[in-house]
Amino acid sequence: MKLQKLSYSLLVLLVLVSSAAIAHAQPPVTVYKLRNSHGVETQITNYGGIVISLKVPDRNGKFDDVVLGFKTAQDYMRKNDPYLGAIIGRYGNRIAKGRFTLNGVEYKLAVNNGENHLHGGIKGFDKVVWTGRQIRTKDGPAVVLTYLSKDGEEGYPGNLRVRVVYTLTNKNELKIDYSATTDKDTVLNLTHHSYFNLAGEGNGDILNHELKINADRFVPTDAGSIPTGELRKVSGTPFDFLTSTAIGARINQDEEQLKLGNGYDHTFVINGTAGRLRLAATARETSSGRVMEVWTTEPGMQLYTGNFLDGSLTGKSGKPYPRRSGFCLETQHYPDSPNQPSFPTTTLKKGATYKSTTIYRFITQ
Ligand code: GAL
């Protein structure tokens, strides 16, 4: 009888321990390989939702990998990597001093960029393991990533359920659909952080890429890259990309904002109606003939010209990544919106659904 009781208790204990282990178990790190009907290929991992590679054709049909990155998912865990190819959250870009007030409560976030909060904090969405699943859609192969960010993670309120769907469409687009819900009012600003080089990763700097940005205004910042609150006209400044201009044409000008950003590291206010998918930017690399269009529902887009890359990282094909060897076009709300009442709101209310779409479309000329 005693023995029976003992073995029963042992069994209960075993069940409890193993269910606790299952509840805390992370999904395994996986790499998904997607290929569309034109032979365009991408590798995406559920670690950080990172786009590891993206191979698109040039004007002669030669495929090159146009995103900076490492060989394996594990490489991103070991290296001190500057968000190469990752999903950024909960808040893409900076929140001043890592503080904001919502419904009368002040929240203190992790501070990881000088005195400010950057890209979701110390362990943002770029460093967590998402639950992933590869599916087929009518538009092309896709990966569905989900993640539950617990109430209080990196200081943010609310249990946030996030879903990101990457679709490699048969129109040669990498389409990213974001959605999220929360059980408490919170703030949210998701983005994607691929560094592009349309001549192929590791093939020199991106200063000759021509860029057109559909923005009459941009967001000037202070020395800590925090917005001053002004939305400044681009006309007459090196931020005027309304007509296609080489990224490097004005980058070293003696101009206050370029100096503060170490080059371009600024949000552009995309013309047209936020919430509607519209063309935000077109980047051209003339030697390959590759052209990338960026379409988004977001109000803004950060142009970051890889100013902090310094050659210390070596990429997947063994080539180093020097300064300005990739550029990011991060579609998002403006930085520090939770502290800037005049900016479009980044508050996500309990019961509401966050939705955002961005498309990187590849063509040749
Ligand atoms: C960008 C940001 C830059 C820098 C970079 C990562 O999104 O605007 O200031 O932090 O990420 O090195």
Side-chain angles (χ1 to χ4, degrees), residues 94-337:
R94 292 167 177 84
I95 295 179
K97 301 196 168 72
R99 282 168 193 236
F100 68 94
T101 300
L102 186 61
N103 302 334
V105 178
E106 185 180 68
Y107 292 96
K108 293 186 183 128
L109 305 174
V111 162
N112 60 328
N113 187 245
E115 57 175 13
N116 302 320
H117 175 86
L118 173 69
H119 290 342
I122 294 158
K123 192 174 178 190
F125 291 178
D126 59 298
K127 292 180 187 68
V128 301
V129 181
W130 298 62
T131 299
R133 175 163 64 94
Q134 192 163 343
I135 58 166
R136 298 223 142 255
T137 74
K138 62 175 180 12
D139 300 322
V143 173
V144 181
L145 299 172
T146 55
Y147 177 65
L148 167 64
S149 173
K150 296 249 175 76
D151 189 9
E153 190 174 275
E154 300 293 315
Y156 290 100
N159 287 299
L160 183 81
R161 290 186 182 277
V162 197
R163 179 181 150 104
V164 175
V165 183
Y166 280 111
T167 309
L168 182 64
T169 77
N170 293 323
K171 292 192 269 177
N172 291 1
E173 302 162 327
L174 182 65
K175 181 169 179 252
I176 314 176
D177 291 299
Y178 306 84
S179 56
T181 54
T182 177
D183 62 2
K184 219 191 243 181
D185 291 2
T186 190
V187 299
L188 187 62
N189 185 28
L190 300 172
T191 191
H192 173 75
H193 211 286
S194 271
Y195 289 67
F196 296 97
N197 186 332
L198 300 179
E201 59 82 32
N203 290 337
D205 66 48
I206 46 75
L207 297 174
N208 285 331
H209 282 57
E210 281 166 24
L211 187 60
K212 186 171 178 212
I213 304 179
N214 179 25
D216 294 337
R217 288 174 298 164
F218 76 106
V219 184
T221 65
D222 67 13
S225 288
I226 298 297
T228 59
E230 181 193 352
L231 301 180
R232 190 177 293 172
K233 288 225 162 81
V234 296
S235 63
T237 79
F239 292 81
D240 186 347
F241 283 96
L242 286 162
T243 47
S244 195
T245 310
I247 291 176
R250 299 162 298 185
I251 202 167
N252 293 320
Q253 273 183 16
D254 186 12
E255 195 271 346
E256 182 218 17
Q257 284 299 314
L258 285 174
K259 294 231 142 128
L260 289 173
N262 279 297
Y264 294 104
D265 194 358
H266 294 80
T267 303
F268 286 75
V269 177
I270 302 305
N271 294 339
T273 311
R276 288 211 194 126
L277 197 63
R278 64 221 189 281
L279 183 63
T282 307
R284 289 193 168 73
E285 202 283 310
T286 47
S287 72
S288 64
R290 289 194 186 96
V291 177
M292 179 178 78
E293 290 178 352
V294 182
W295 294 74
T296 191
T297 57
E298 283 299 305
M301 184 189 74
Q302 180 91 356
L303 165 63
Y304 169 59
T305 45
N307 311 311
F308 299 122
L309 295 174
D310 59 6
S312 58
L313 295 175
T314 299
K316 50 200 150 189
S317 58
K319 296 181 208 157
Y321 292 148
R323 190 164 192 232
R324 297 181 176 153
S325 54
F327 65 101
C328 304
L329 294 174
E330 306 157 48
T331 53
Q332 54 186 237
H333 276 57
Y334 316 154
D336 200 29
S337 297

Side-chain angles (χ1 to χ4, degrees), residues 30 33 38 92 127 136 157 354:
T30 310
K33 295 179 183 170
H38 300 290
K127 292 180 187 68
R136 298 223 142 255
Y354 172 101

